[in-house]
Amino acid sequence: MKKSIGVLILFINLLFVGIYATVNKAEVQADEKNISMQELASNISTQRMMKVIEKIASAPHPVNSEEIQNVKSYLIEYFREIGYNDIECQKFEYNDQNNENAIRHSSQAEVFLESTSQNARIDGFGENIIITKSSVDDTEKNLIISAHYDSSAESSGANDNGSGVSVVLELAEILKDVDLSCNIKFIMFSGEEKYMLGSRWFVGQLSESERNDIIGVINIDSIAEKSDLGYLAMISGNKRLDNTEYSEDDIKKLAELNKNRISDLFLSNSRFSLTMAMNSDHYPFSLLDIPAVSIVQDWQEGLAVNDAADVIENIDGERLEEAAEQVFEVVFKLGSA
């Protein structure tokens, strides 16, 4: 009987040791994950991002121009040099008159996401660049990190959107060898300055299953002009308030009503606030209820975009780093879930 009690006590002791070891191992793994995120974020380079902007914002590069072809070639080569091989160029064509009609019906997905060149004269073309980082897990789930790489015809596009492009490239470099639970698609959209031609085409070509496999979209657009102001997480959605004329307070309420799981992750940082807007590449995804957000800098003092004032001398390297770190933190959380 005494021997049986001794064995039982030994078993209980071993059980508690096992439980403690398991809990302690989980705590260590959590600590290692936090350290890993911090260490990875510390590798974000302002100098690299500034070099990207300097390279692509030397001259205007609107969609359907010779200059944007040079930018496209540079971006593809950049991704290849840092180790990405799964690169696709998605060509789209457009008709200007039909595009104007689509813009007038931008709230109607069946019109806005349709090709503007079908049975019409081709006025120009653009190409989206899609780079895929596959997950170590066997999954079809995709997180999209995007920025548009065209500028307006009157601007070299240092902030709009060399800043967004530089952040996406920097994140691709930092995340290259990081194991994540979802696939990452880095997408460089073209034709945003013609009211999101490229992202509209991309979303319009998605099958139902492909739409369902997108866990979220983080789009980065115009985030680094010198300013002390914070950032906006721009969202859109179908939920509306009862009144038809919106005050500033109503816009805030409407944004809160339409927030999504991606925008919520940015709002934990006090430098970010929520707003409703449809003037960047998150919008076509929002039309299909895909959680999407565009990260932009607060524009209440006005931004020097779409004209000759948008030059690299007005870019703030600290803002580039700040935005890149916050997007990285959100991506890391989503990819570690």
Side-chain angles (χ1 to χ4, degrees), residues 62-66 68-73 75-76 87-94 124-131 147-150 187-192 197-199 201-202:
V63 66
N64 196 46
S65 68
E66 181 178 343
I68 200 170
Q69 292 300 310
N70 296 331
V71 175
K72 183 194 79 170
S73 297
L75 294 177
I76 291 172
I87 303 174
E88 172 193 355
C89 289
Q90 183 188 52
K91 185 175 180 179
F92 60 87
E93 297 170 329
Y94 62 87
F125 77 94
E127 290 178 272
N128 298 324
I129 310 169
I130 305 166
I131 302 91
H148 74 88
Y149 71 100
D150 62 310
I187 306 181
M188 304 286 100
F189 289 121
S190 185
E192 191 270 352
L197 277 172
S199 54
W201 177 264
F202 177 85

Side-chain angles (χ1 to χ4, degrees), residues 121-313:
R121 182 189 69 247
I122 306 301
D123 289 323
F125 77 94
E127 290 178 272
N128 298 324
I129 310 169
I130 305 166
I131 302 91
T132 301
K133 169 183 164 51
S134 297
S135 171
V136 291
D137 298 336
D138 185 16
T139 180
E140 299 295 325
K141 298 299 181 183
N142 296 306
L143 173 64
I144 292 174
I145 306 173
S146 64
H148 74 88
Y149 71 100
D150 62 310
S151 75
S152 72
E154 293 76 31
S155 171
S156 62
N159 191 33
D160 184 15
N161 190 31
S163 64
V165 170
S166 72
V167 170
V168 174
L169 266 58
E170 187 65 15
L171 293 174
E173 184 148 350
I174 300 301
L175 290 167
K176 175 64 180 68
D177 297 316
V178 178
D179 294 338
L180 299 172
S181 60
C182 60
N183 306 314
I184 303 289
K185 287 190 178 292
F186 302 100
I187 306 181
M188 304 286 100
F189 289 121
S190 185
E192 191 270 352
E193 300 294 353
K194 276 186 172 288
Y195 220 78
M196 299 157 276
L197 277 172
S199 54
R200 284 157 53 192
W201 177 264
F202 177 85
V203 174
Q205 299 301 302
L206 294 172
S207 67
E208 185 175 355
S209 62
E210 288 171 330
R211 296 172 186 174
N212 293 335
D213 284 334
I214 298 174
I215 66 172
V217 179
I218 303 172
N219 183 63
I220 308 164
D221 192 350
S222 306
I223 44 87
E225 184 179 307
K226 292 175 182 177
S227 168
D228 293 329
L229 297 176
Y231 304 86
L232 299 173
M234 297 199 312
I235 61 169
S236 187
N238 297 320
K239 297 177 182 177
R240 294 288 180 265
L241 299 175
D242 291 336
N243 53 323
T244 55
E245 294 184 7
Y246 295 119
S247 66
E248 189 172 333
D249 286 340
D250 285 336
I251 295 297
K252 292 179 181 178
K253 292 176 184 177
L254 193 59
E256 184 67 23
L257 194 63
N258 284 281
K259 66 181 182 178
N260 57 59
R261 64 190 297 261
I262 306 298
S263 64
D264 277 349
L265 290 172
F266 284 97
L267 298 182
S268 62
N269 185 328
S270 61
R271 290 275 285 166
F272 287 76
S273 56
L274 194 64
T275 191
M276 285 285 287
M278 52 187 285
N279 57 329
S280 195
D281 286 313
H282 68 290
Y283 180 65
F285 294 93
S286 299
L287 277 177
L288 299 181
D289 296 323
I290 296 170
V293 60
S294 279
I295 300 304
V296 301
Q297 67 184 102
D298 194 320
W299 57 61
Q300 65 179 278
E301 291 181 354
L303 295 177
V305 296
N306 295 331
D307 59 33
D310 186 4
V311 293
I312 195 167
E313 287 77 13

